[in-house]
Amino acid sequence: MYLLVFLFVFFIWCYKSHASKRYMRHAVRNLQGPFAIPLLGCIQEISRLRPKNITSSVASMFAKYGKLMKLWAFNRLLIVSADIEFNEQILASPTHITKVAVYNMLHPWLGIGLLTSDGKKWHTRRKIITPTFHFKILEEFLEVFDHQSTILLQCLEKKADGRSTIDIYPLICLFTLYVIVETAMGTKVNAQTSKSCQYASAVHEMTELLAMRFVRLHLNNELVFTILHPFKKLRQTQLIQIMHNFTKSVIEERRILLQQNQHKSLHAEDNGDMGCKKRSAFLDVLLQATVNGQPLSDEDIREEVDTFMFEGHDTTASALSFTLHLLARHPRVQNKILAEVQQICGNSEDPLTLMNLNEMKYLECVIRESLRLYPSVPIFGRQFKEDFAYTHSTLGDGVIPAGSELYIWSTLVLRDPKRYPNPSEFVPERFEDVDEKINLSTSPFSAGPRNCIGQKFAMYEMKITLMKIVRTFELLPLGEDVQPIPNIVMCSENGMQLGLRKRKA
């Protein structure tokens, strides 16, 4: 009797749950996608997804169903896109800026900061933080970029025997961590200490763990993850604690310094032991900001610092490492960079200026081409809180219904053969004459209201670093080719391998 009652109630629940999505199914009837079983969705496709095969699997589905397709994951409607025409419309929208629900898995680590928030909170934080990336402040950071890249060269020189294969990523990762701590946070730490190495390793392990959870949809739920994988849950908690302890120490050190300087003159503060005030603009702004007359709480500050510590070092490390790996396999491109640097700087060892860096057009093309092949953020998404009406030259007018989740596959968008001939080849010259107005959906930094706030910071940091490395070393095609994996940040399963040989003076 009880079993019959349970089955009856379960049947009614299933019927109502399926019926509640009737409008959504009708709205996307013009889109193709894998066969979906009621309530279970495309279980036959989803169950096979893993971080290592997800890009190839999605590419196969795009080839079969089109570059804008629907995918039912249990009772969730996912819109998966590599369609440039559609992407340009959604990225330009000032309304549809909410991140997809899977970003909730980042909350224990990053809180609800600039990356994961939306609505009024996102607008308020963006307004507070945007001035910290003004070009005058960025110019103050060039000295740090230059100094720390010189230290990086000294580390690389020990390995530059022209024979040994090295994985460049760990060294670059520690370098970018040091840069973000000293520039944006205003704190000097030795990136070679065990504490900072532990933080960088924890970030890498955490992104791998979250990537596994992203593709196994049942593990999106924290309770289900805890029950099914208690040891992984424990490890996740340990990693978060390591990262939070590091960022809390950075915040506390800067807070103490500000308190010590609050009665001193601006000149004294600008010439203090920790560096000038402008170099710590981001964290100083957070420590001194108010919202409705109230200062930001310690938790508010921590979630923004955690966000920028992660995004400010890991994404740049990925971009730099992939670029160096590609340069090692393309000596022609290395030589063109050298020629450009020689033309702009000559043999001068004077500090670089923003004008110098802005003149390095070919180097910028190299970075953009590397990011096209291996975008630091391979996938990003939006949650539709209300219907989104779009137009399309092939599909016609359509509506993506409220409640849907959109996933834009930038790794495939940026290898679209219609936009980029020979898309798998490394050809920086393709960016020498690009109309930025039609490049909205193909920017590796995203676009529209939620574009990367630190993209100019990252570009200048990469330009200085690459210019100095190529000027000092010949990059050699030693080791294995990369095996990219689209974790939260693009990485390579076997690292980024190459060889180095000191150039003759």
Side-chain angles (χ1 to χ4, degrees):
M1 180 65 182
Y2 291 113
L3 180 59
L4 290 175
V5 171
F6 172 78
L7 291 174
F8 177 75
V9 171
F10 180 71
F11 175 79
I12 295 299
W13 175 84
C14 289
Y15 173 78
K16 288 188 174 181
S17 181
H18 184 68
S20 68
K21 305 293 182 179
R22 183 179 293 116
Y23 168 71
M24 298 177 74
R25 291 194 297 273
H26 179 77
V28 296
R29 66 192 185 280
N30 62 319
L31 301 182
Q32 296 186 59
F35 172 75
I37 303 170
L39 295 181
L40 294 178
C42 310
I43 191 71
Q44 72 283 2
E45 301 283 353
I46 295 170
S47 62
R48 294 195 290 265
L49 296 180
R50 297 292 183 274
K52 293 181 182 180
N53 69 10
I54 190 169
T55 298
S56 60
S57 298
V58 171
S60 297
M61 286 191 278
F62 280 142
K64 186 175 182 180
Y65 303 112
K67 292 184 178 178
L68 182 62
M69 66 179 181
K70 60 187 174 186
L71 187 72
W72 284 95
F74 300 109
N75 217 24
R76 293 160 54 187
L77 175 58
L78 313 183
I79 305 299
V80 188
S81 176
D83 187 287
I84 293 174
E85 187 176 352
F86 175 84
N87 294 348
E88 288 185 342
Q89 296 176 58
I90 187 62
L91 291 175
S93 171
T95 305
H96 300 280
I97 60 173
T98 302
K99 295 296 182 74
V100 287
V102 294
Y103 278 75
N104 294 342
M105 286 188 284
L106 294 170
H107 289 173
W109 172 18
L110 302 180
I112 309 176
L114 194 65
L115 176 65
T116 55
S117 62
D118 60 11
K120 184 178 180 180
K121 182 173 183 178
W122 177 81
H123 283 286
T124 300
R125 296 288 176 87
R126 182 91 179 194
K127 186 176 181 180
I128 290 171
I129 294 169
T130 295
T132 67
F133 290 95
H134 189 275
F135 76 92
K136 289 184 178 179
I137 295 176
L138 290 176
E139 193 162 28
E140 295 292 332
F141 293 158
L142 297 187
E143 183 181 348
V144 177
F145 296 160
D146 184 69
H147 175 65
Q148 295 311 321
S149 59
T150 298
I151 294 175
L152 174 63
L153 294 181
Q154 294 169 359
C155 295
L156 294 176
E157 189 169 1
K158 300 173 184 178
K159 303 175 182 293
D161 59 11
R163 300 182 304 276
S164 301
T165 297
I166 64 171
D167 177 6
I168 199 73
Y169 177 76
L171 292 168
I172 296 295
C173 192
L174 288 175
F175 159 72
T176 57
L177 174 60
Y178 191 100
V179 167
I180 197 68
V181 170
E182 186 172 353
T183 54
M185 307 306 161
T187 303
K188 288 190 175 183
V189 298
N190 183 351
Q192 303 302 321
T193 64
S194 60
K195 190 175 181 181
S196 53
C197 290
Q198 190 180 33
Y199 173 84
S201 298
V203 169
H204 184 70
E205 187 177 345
M206 185 68 174
T207 56
E208 288 185 336
L209 179 59
L210 289 172
M212 180 273 291
R213 293 184 60 193
F214 280 155
V215 299
R216 300 179 186 179
L217 298 184
H218 61 292
L219 298 182
N220 290 181
N221 182 280
E222 203 69 32
L223 179 60
V224 173
F225 175 60
T226 302
I227 293 171
L228 296 181
H229 298 279
F231 293 107
K232 283 187 172 64
K233 170 66 175 181
L234 176 61
R235 183 55 181 164
Q236 175 180 287
T237 302
Q238 292 171 338
L239 293 171
I240 291 172
Q241 189 63 46
I242 290 170
M243 295 183 291
H244 282 182
N245 287 343
F246 186 79
T247 52
K248 284 176 182 176
S249 68
V250 169
I251 295 169
E252 189 57 30
E253 187 169 347
R254 190 60 193 171
R255 191 194 299 274
I256 291 171
L257 182 66
L258 286 177
Q259 290 172 350
Q260 292 173 347
N261 289 336
Q262 62 183 347
H263 298 302
K264 296 180 180 180
S265 67
L266 179 62
H267 177 76
E269 183 176 340
D270 282 351
N271 291 278
D273 292 338
M274 299 302 295
C276 71
K277 183 178 179 181
K278 289 181 181 179
R279 289 183 193 164
S280 57
F282 171 73
L283 183 50
D284 282 355
V285 165
L286 293 178
L287 290 169
Q288 298 170 349
T290 59
V291 178
N292 298 324
Q294 297 296 318
L296 296 177
S297 69
D298 288 348
E299 182 64 18
D300 291 333
I301 294 170
R302 184 201 59 77
E303 61 192 16
E304 295 300 351
V305 170
D306 274 322
T307 297
F308 273 78
M309 288 284 285
F310 161 56
E311 290 199 305
H313 98 272
D314 209 32
T315 54
T316 309
S318 171
L320 274 172
S321 299
F322 275 113
T323 303
L324 290 167
H325 177 84
L326 287 166
L327 287 175
R329 282 143 179 81
H330 294 85
R332 178 190 67 83
V333 178
Q334 287 189 60
N335 291 333
K336 287 193 70 171
I337 293 173
L338 278 173
E340 181 176 70
V341 172
Q342 181 67 27
Q343 180 182 359
I344 295 170
C345 302
N347 296 318
S348 173
E349 296 295 331
D350 292 341
L352 291 164
T353 65
L354 287 183
M355 182 177 294
N356 294 146
L357 295 175
N358 289 334
E359 289 175 353
M360 294 182 184
K361 301 296 185 181
Y362 185 73
L363 181 56
E364 184 163 333
C365 291
V366 169
I367 295 170
R368 293 180 66 182
E369 176 70 347
S370 176
L371 285 169
R372 183 189 69 79
L373 290 169
Y374 304 108
S376 296
V377 181
I379 307 162
F380 51 93
R382 298 286 186 270
Q383 181 81 39
F384 291 97
K385 289 191 171 182
E386 56 187 71
D387 289 357
F388 173 68
Y390 66 90
T391 60
H392 197 279
S393 58
T394 303
L395 299 170
D397 295 343
V399 172
I400 304 299
S404 306
E405 303 171 40
L406 170 67
Y407 292 87
I408 295 177
W409 227 267
S410 60
T411 50
L412 298 176
V413 171
L414 294 168
R415 294 192 182 217
D416 187 338
K418 292 183 180 178
R419 179 63 62 92
Y420 302 106
N422 303 314
S424 296
E425 295 184 11
F426 180 61
V427 186
E429 288 78 7
R430 71 172 89 239
F431 283 102
E432 289 181 335
D433 185 23
V434 174
D435 185 351
E436 295 291 340
K437 294 181 180 179
I438 64 170
N439 205 36
L440 183 63
S441 74
T442 56
S443 168
F445 296 103
S446 189
R450 293 209 74 145
N451 68 341
C452 175
I453 195 172
Q455 58 183 283
K456 289 188 180 298
F457 177 101
M459 185 62 76
Y460 288 134
E461 179 184 355
M462 287 189 286
K463 277 189 172 184
I464 285 181
T465 308
L466 290 169
M467 181 273 289
K468 294 185 73 170
I469 290 177
V470 172
R471 201 179 194 183
T472 306
F473 303 106
E474 180 184 356
L475 306 177
L476 307 172
L478 302 182
E480 302 173 352
D481 289 338
V482 291
Q483 298 176 19
I485 300 178
N487 290 344
I488 299 176
V489 173
M490 182 72 83
C491 65
S492 172
E493 185 177 15
N494 59 340
M496 288 79 157
Q497 301 178 27
L498 51 82
L500 296 169
R501 180 164 52 220
K502 189 78 179 287
R503 293 188 186 274
K504 296 180 180 179

